Amino acid sequence: MFEARHTMDAPTTASADNGTSGGGGGWFTPRKQPATTPTTEQEQPAEGSRLAGMRPVGRASGGEVRSPAPPAAPRPAKTAEPASQGPPDTAVPDPTPPPAPEAAPPAAISTPGPPGRPAPPSAPHSAAQATEAPPRTGSLASLTSAPPQLRIPTQRTAPAPPASPDALLIRRTMAEIGPVADKVTSYFYALLFVRHPDLRPLFPAAMDTQRDRLLKALLTAAEHIDNTPVLVDYLENLGRGHRKYGTRPEHYPAVGECLIGSLTKYAAGVWDGETEAAWVRTYTKISQVMIDAAAADELRAPAWWYAEVVSHELRRADVAVVTVRPDQPYPFLAGQYTSVETPWWPRIWRHYSFASAPRSDGLLTFHVKAVPAGWVSNALVHRARPGDIVRLGPPAGSMTVDHTTASGLLCVGGGTGIAPIKALVEDVAEHGTRRPVQVFYGARTDQDLYDIDTMLRLRQSHPWLEVRPVVDRHGLLQLPEAIREFGPWTEYDAYVSGPPGMIRSGVDALRGIGVPSERIRHDSVEELVAT
C-alpha cells in the first residue's frame, strides 16, 4: 500500500476520522459512505474470522475496468527536491518471517470505508528513472516498495505555519524509533504474518529490501501530514499504482493495526494515549485517500497491461534496449516511467522510464541495465526475447514538459537516465516549437555513452538541440563543472535523470549557479524528501 524513485516515481481527506481512537467513527473508519455508480458493480468485502471490530463499514468498489482513457495532463512540476534512486536488487535472504511477537495486540481496527464518489482523475505524480528501482511486489507488498517522489517546496514566500499537535506527536515518535528502525519494521511484519497469515502469500519470498521501504514510506507520509496538497498528490498516486498488486480496502486495517502495535512496542518512551490517537487519525487519512484514488482510477484504466516483447537489442554486455507492444492502448507522457514485472519473477516489479515520446504504433521502449543480483534487470537484459510477455503498471512521474511556456530545456542525463531525456527531446520536436534544448550526457567512461549515436542524430535533425557528452576523468566528476561552464541557465527549465549520485551533484550544481528549485525537475526514488 505504500511504496519510495525512485526516486521519493501522501495525503489527507475530509473523510478521515478526526476523533480519538476511542471516539468518532472508530479506528481507521472513514466517514464517507460508498457511492454507487451505474457502470461498476460493487461487491461486499468478504468477512472472515477477523479481529473484533474489523467489520466493513460499507461496500468496496467493484471489479476493474479494462478500457484505458487518455492520460490527464500532469500539473507542471513547480518544485523538485534532490532525491536519489533506490538501490538495486540485493541477494535473496532467508524468506522465513521473524519469530512471532508475544506483545499484546493493540485495539481492533475497523475496515476503511469504500471510496466516496471519485474525483476527476489526475495524472500520476511520482518519481523514477530508467535504472532498476526497489521492488514493488505482491498485493500488500506495495507497502514496502519504494515510494514515488514526494515533492516538498523548498522556497516559501512566507514563514511556514506552526506544526499541528498531531504532526508534533508523529515526529516525536519518529525520533524515538529512528535508532531501531529495522527492528520496528521486522516486528511489523511478524505481527502482520502471524495475525493475518492469509496475507503472507501476497508478498514475495524475499523481504529484505521491502522492510526498509515500508518504514520510510509510511513514516514520511505521516511526518508531512500537515502538507495536505503534497500528501494528497503522493498518496493518490500510490493508490492508483497499487491496484496492480490487488490491494483492497479490507487490507488496510490489518496494516494499520500492526503499525500501531509496532510503534507501541518500540516508542514506549514517548507513547501515550494522545500519541496513539494522533497516529490513528493520520493513518485513517492516508488509507482513505489511497482507497478513493484507486476507485477513481478503476473507472478509467486497467490495473495493469500485458505487453509482448517485440525487439531486444544489446547495446553493451549489461545494457539492453527493450521494446514491447501492450495488449491495449497505453496512455503516457514523455518523461514518465512505469513498473515492469517479468514472467520469471512474479510479483517483483521495477521502475523503468519510457525511452521515447508516445508513438503512433503504440510501442513502448525501455533502456535496462543489468545490476548485480538484480532479478528483473538481469531477466530483461539476459533472458527476455521477442515473444515473451511482461506486465506493465500504470504510468507515473512528473518530469514532463510544460508546453504552456517557451522556456528552454536544460537536460542532464547519466547512464540509462538518458532514456527519459531522449523522450523529452522527441516531445519538444513533435510539438513543433523551436525551444532551445541543451542536453548534457554524463558518463563515467566512453563505453557508458551507449546511446550517443542516437542523440547525435537527433541533433542533426533539430538545430535547436545541442548535445554535449561529458565523461569523468581520473575519477573526477566533470558534469557539474560542465553545467556551470556553459551557463547561465536563467531562462531554462532543468531536467535531471540518472544514478542517485549524479542527480545529487547535478541538482547541487544547478542550484549553485542560481537555478531556482521550482525549475529543477527530476524523478528519483531512493529518498522521499531531500535534506
Side-chain angles (χ1 to χ4, degrees):
M1 272 157 271
F2 295 92
E3 74 159 312
R5 248 243 154 97
H6 144 106
T7 51
M8 263 152 303
D9 328 294
T12 67
T13 67
S15 63
D17 177 20
N18 290 321
T20 64
S21 60
W27 277 44
F28 311 129
T29 306
R31 291 194 295 265
K32 287 185 181 177
Q33 296 303 314
T36 303
T37 62
T39 58
T40 305
E41 180 183 358
Q42 300 190 345
E43 57 189 47
Q44 180 73 26
E47 295 186 32
S49 55
R50 300 185 232 178
L51 294 177
M54 291 186 62
R55 303 182 67 83
V57 297
R59 296 179 181 271
S61 63
E64 67 181 50
V65 178
R66 299 282 299 182
S67 55
R75 287 183 290 254
K78 296 299 182 184
T79 62
E81 287 305 317
S84 50
Q85 173 160 351
D89 292 342
T90 55
V92 180
D94 183 356
T96 305
E102 300 178 358
I109 300 173
S110 300
T111 302
R117 186 173 304 278
S122 59
H125 190 75
S126 101
Q129 78 171 38
T131 55
E132 183 162 0
R136 303 180 62 171
T137 56
S139 77
L140 279 181
S142 54
L143 276 166
T144 62
S145 342
Q149 179 178 6
L150 186 56
R151 308 177 71 83
I152 306 294
T154 58
Q155 297 184 352
R156 297 185 176 92
T157 56
S164 68
D166 279 3
L168 292 175
L169 292 171
I170 295 295
R171 292 167 190 169
R172 185 178 69 172
T173 307
M174 293 175 62
E176 179 77 3
I177 66 173
V180 292
D182 185 65
K183 292 182 179 179
V184 175
T185 312
S186 297
Y187 189 77
F188 163 82
Y189 279 113
L191 286 176
L192 187 65
F193 295 155
V194 168
R195 296 179 183 175
H196 307 279
D198 55 308
L199 300 183
R200 184 61 182 92
L202 302 178
F203 291 82
M207 299 292 295
D208 55 329
T209 304
Q210 318 225 150
R211 293 177 178 174
D212 294 338
R213 298 301 169 188
L214 165 64
L215 198 63
K216 178 179 289 187
L218 259 180
L219 300 187
T220 299
E223 184 182 20
H224 293 88
I225 197 66
D226 283 352
N227 196 335
T228 299
V230 168
L231 290 177
V232 169
D233 281 346
Y234 175 60
L235 289 184
E236 285 182 344
N237 185 66
L238 290 183
R240 287 189 293 265
H242 294 143
R243 289 180 55 217
K244 67 178 177 288
Y245 305 123
T247 304
R248 299 192 56 78
E250 57 265 30
H251 295 152
Y252 287 81
V255 174
E257 167 198 317
C258 296
L259 171 66
I260 296 297
S262 301
L263 296 175
T264 301
K265 177 177 177 64
Y266 286 97
V270 298
W271 196 261
D272 55 23
E274 290 185 0
T275 301
E276 182 173 298
W279 276 96
V280 168
R281 288 189 291 267
T282 297
Y283 184 80
T284 300
K285 294 177 179 180
I286 288 172
S287 60
Q288 187 65 64
V289 173
M290 294 180 67
I291 291 170
D292 289 349
D297 193 60
E298 196 171 26
L299 301 178
R300 68 183 183 94
W304 66 79
W305 287 253
Y306 289 107
E308 178 186 0
V309 177
V310 297
S311 175
H312 185 281
E313 177 190 356
L314 277 177
R315 294 290 183 85
R316 289 184 0 177
D318 59 349
V319 175
V321 175
V322 182
T323 301
V324 302
R325 178 187 293 111
D327 63 339
Q328 56 186 305
Y330 188 101
F332 74 99
L333 298 173
Q336 289 188 308
Y337 65 94
T338 188
S339 50
V340 179
E341 178 202 54
T342 71
W344 305 285
W345 297 106
R347 295 177 293 147
I348 305 295
W349 299 76
R350 293 294 184 273
H351 293 112
Y352 295 99
S353 292
F354 300 106
S356 68
R359 295 167 47 164
S360 59
D361 58 10
L363 299 182
L364 309 173
T365 299
F366 307 100
H367 293 186
V368 184
K369 180 177 181 179
V371 298
W375 296 359
V376 176
S377 66
N378 278 281
L380 289 173
V381 172
H382 301 302
R383 191 167 182 176
R385 293 296 182 268
D388 291 331
I389 303 296
V390 299
R391 281 204 300 169
L392 307 177
S398 58
M399 200 180 76
T400 56
V401 177
D402 180 3
H403 292 289
T404 65
T405 74
S407 301
L409 275 66
L410 169 59
C411 301
V412 182
T416 51
I418 198 63
I421 300 301
K422 174 176 171 287
L424 294 176
V425 172
E426 293 179 355
D427 189 35
V428 173
E430 290 177 4
H431 278 75
T433 55
R434 298 176 62 85
R435 299 169 64 173
V437 178
Q438 296 273 341
V439 173
F440 288 83
Y441 188 175
R444 292 182 177 178
T445 67
D446 292 335
Q447 290 71 31
D448 291 331
L449 297 172
Y450 68 90
D451 209 33
I452 187 62
D453 290 342
T454 302
M455 299 304 300
L456 293 178
R457 284 195 296 270
L458 285 171
R459 184 182 66 177
Q460 293 175 353
S461 302
H462 307 296
W464 41 261
L465 172 64
E466 184 61 55
V467 177
R468 305 180 190 277
V470 181
V471 178
D472 295 347
R473 301 298 180 190
H474 307 296
L476 300 177
L477 295 177
Q478 306 296 314
L479 192 56
E481 186 58 36
I483 295 173
R484 298 185 189 97
E485 177 182 350
F486 288 97
W489 306 107
T490 54
E491 300 300 322
Y492 284 73
D493 291 331
Y495 298 80
V496 186
S497 178
M502 195 224 72
I503 290 180
R504 284 191 292 267
S505 62
V507 170
D508 288 345
L510 291 168
R511 285 176 169 172
I513 59 176
V515 179
S517 295
E518 61 268 20
R519 300 190 72 169
I520 303 174
R521 303 170 186 177
H522 62 85
D523 285 334
S524 74
V525 296
E526 179 187 18
E527 300 169 354
L528 294 178
V529 183
T531 56

